Amino acid sequence: MKTITFFLIVFCSAVAMSQTENEGEIQINQTQLDDTYRTGETIAVNAAVQGDLVIAGGTLIVNDSINGDLTAAGGELILNGYIADDVRTAVGKATIDSEIGDDLVIFGGEVIIAKNTVIHGNVKCYAGNVQIYGEVLGGLDIKGGDVLIDGNIREASKIAAEEITIGTNAKFYKEVEYWHSEGEMDFKDALVDTQASFNEDLKGEQSQLSLTNFGTNSIKLWIFYLLSALVAILFLHALFRNAFANTAHEFEGNWLKSFGFGLLYLIGVPLVIIIALFIAIGIPLTLFVTAIFIFSLLFGHYIAALLLVYYLKYKKDKQWGFWSITLLALLVTVLLRLLTMIPYAGIALSIVVIAITYGALTLGAFRSKKDLIKN
């Protein structure tokens, strides 16, 4: 039921976004007496919201209390205010330093739950890097890359990650099922009158979305994948629709050229990063470029799907609107996901698709610069 509710709230947020112009910086400095919906580049909530809050944008900051649910999607979320009910969010980075009255459901690249945080419900988290220092009165359901637990967990938990680190302050009061790449591990003094068991079955849930075993767990994972893909496509489309529309013209007769430029990007940027790190020049800039490069790889299929739909729109002279393009891009993303699951050939296809995408975007940027110089 909560998954359906999350979908409905995200859908309503997207509808609101598509019906209003994106604003730059939004400051909410007066108490909101009802449900509140905002989209913008930067959103800062500095006053109480008496109902639900739905926000989407680049940087999202919540400093005051929300007396209902919080739903957020975007680049970064900084949560400092009290949330009376659930928090559901899909962001690149989330820092939680507050009290949450019920569950936290979060999808992101990096998730930090600070020391003073208290979550009265469960934490369900899909992320690359997870750090938990606060107190969770419910249990954990985490699937991630690197997971650090250094807080109190009151109920039964499941953790599946490539790396799991148990901090000196960690306490588990109910049983823990876990999987990590190095096999069984020692929880030391973190287990309080309970036990931890290594579960190999959790590896499959952590590693990929499987169609070969289409049971309850993989259905849940596919639903979550579709929801997160929809959110990502919505915001990429909203922020860069003009770039996609302009770049679609570059596909015509330039497939090989786009592929060449794309390979240069995929090979050249990592080499430049490595050289820059070795000579220790411009470390902050190098780290920033590295983050952008990783982002481009993680979101490559979404960007490729949007670009392909815009090309079909241009080629077939279709009058597709914002929502038609978004939903078609979601369909293309799913097809790409299925194709790239093919062993070996899938990896090669993924490289080709991403290379052509970023090659076309590079050519489009060059053409725009030339046109600007001519004018």
Side-chain angles (χ1 to χ4, degrees):
M1 184 64 188
K2 286 186 178 295
T3 300
I4 296 172
T5 304
F6 179 41
F7 175 78
L8 291 175
I9 294 174
V10 171
F11 180 81
C12 291
S13 172
V15 170
M17 179 188 68
S18 65
Q19 291 177 344
T20 60
E21 293 184 2
N22 286 335
E23 299 181 40
E25 183 174 349
I26 296 175
Q27 297 275 344
I28 299 178
N29 296 320
Q30 295 183 343
T31 300
Q32 306 295 300
L33 301 178
D34 205 344
D35 295 344
T36 302
Y37 304 84
R38 294 288 188 275
T39 60
E41 198 170 307
T42 301
I43 301 175
V45 181
N46 301 316
V49 176
Q50 301 300 333
D52 296 338
L53 176 65
V54 178
I55 51 176
T59 302
L60 312 170
I61 306 169
V62 179
N63 292 322
D64 212 317
S65 60
I66 312 299
N67 291 329
D69 294 334
L70 169 65
T71 299
E76 181 177 7
L77 170 66
I78 301 171
L79 179 54
N80 300 316
Y82 168 74
I83 311 298
D85 210 335
D86 296 327
V87 174
R88 303 181 184 92
T89 180
V91 291
K93 179 180 179 180
T95 303
I96 313 293
D97 190 5
S98 66
E99 184 176 357
I100 297 174
D102 206 340
D103 296 339
L104 169 64
V105 180
I106 187 163
F107 174 86
E110 182 179 1
V111 175
I112 301 171
I113 298 177
K115 184 177 180 179
N116 294 322
T117 298
V118 178
I119 299 171
H120 289 264
N122 301 311
V123 173
K124 178 170 286 190
C125 179
Y126 299 77
N129 186 300
V130 183
Q131 300 174 42
I132 298 179
Y133 301 98
E135 183 167 13
V136 179
L137 301 184
L140 302 178
D141 184 357
I142 296 178
K143 297 174 181 64
D146 295 330
V147 175
L148 166 66
I149 309 295
D150 199 31
N152 295 331
I153 315 299
R154 296 289 176 176
E155 296 296 335
S157 300
K158 290 184 179 181
I159 306 170
E162 290 296 322
E163 296 291 337
I164 299 175
T165 302
I166 306 300
T168 56
N169 297 316
K171 297 294 179 185
F172 292 90
Y173 293 87
K174 292 290 177 66
E175 62 273 13
V176 182
E177 290 184 69
Y178 71 95
W179 176 88
H180 84 141
S181 57
E182 297 181 5
E184 295 187 14
M185 57 183 291
D186 185 4
F187 278 67
K188 299 180 180 178
D189 298 327
L191 301 173
V192 181
D193 297 326
T194 188
Q195 61 182 1
S197 58
F198 181 80
N199 186 346
E200 188 70 31
D201 293 338
L202 294 178
K203 177 182 178 181
E205 296 182 23
Q206 187 270 345
S207 60
Q208 66 175 354
L209 305 174
S210 173
L211 278 184
T212 57
N213 299 310
F214 207 74
T216 303
N217 286 334
S218 79
I219 291 174
K220 289 180 180 178
L221 287 171
W222 269 98
I223 289 173
F224 193 85
Y225 171 73
L226 289 172
L227 292 177
S228 60
L230 177 60
V231 171
I233 290 168
L234 274 169
F235 291 101
L236 287 169
H237 191 193
L239 291 172
F240 304 113
R241 69 175 79 178
N242 290 335
F244 290 127
N246 294 333
T247 304
H249 300 268
E250 297 301 327
F251 275 137
E252 195 70 28
N254 285 323
W255 295 93
L256 287 177
K257 192 174 181 180
S258 296
F259 179 64
F261 271 83
L263 276 183
L264 185 63
Y265 170 78
L266 294 177
I267 297 172
V269 172
L271 286 176
V272 170
I273 291 171
I274 292 170
I275 293 170
L277 287 174
F278 270 114
I279 61 178
I281 294 178
I283 296 297
L285 179 60
T286 303
L287 294 176
F288 175 75
V289 172
T290 303
I292 294 298
F293 182 73
I294 293 172
F295 176 89
S296 70
L297 295 181
L298 292 175
F299 289 84
H301 286 171
Y302 305 143
I303 297 171
L306 280 164
L307 196 54
L308 180 59
V309 172
Y310 265 100
Y311 171 72
L312 292 174
K313 177 179 183 287
Y314 160 72
K315 187 70 175 176
K316 303 295 184 181
D317 195 24
K318 298 291 186 179
Q319 300 301 313
W320 293 333
F322 179 90
W323 270 104
S324 297
I325 294 172
T326 298
L327 296 176
L328 284 170
L330 179 63
L331 176 60
V332 173
T333 299
V334 172
L335 292 174
L336 287 173
R337 174 64 182 173
L338 294 175
L339 288 172
T340 53
M341 288 170 122
I342 302 170
Y344 305 113
I347 296 173
L349 175 63
S350 184
I351 292 172
V352 170
V353 167
I354 293 175
I356 291 175
T357 297
Y358 288 116
L361 288 170
T362 302
L363 290 173
F366 285 161
R367 182 174 58 81
S368 297
K369 187 175 181 180
K370 286 182 180 179
D371 292 343
L372 186 63
I373 292 173
K374 287 181 180 179
N375 295 332

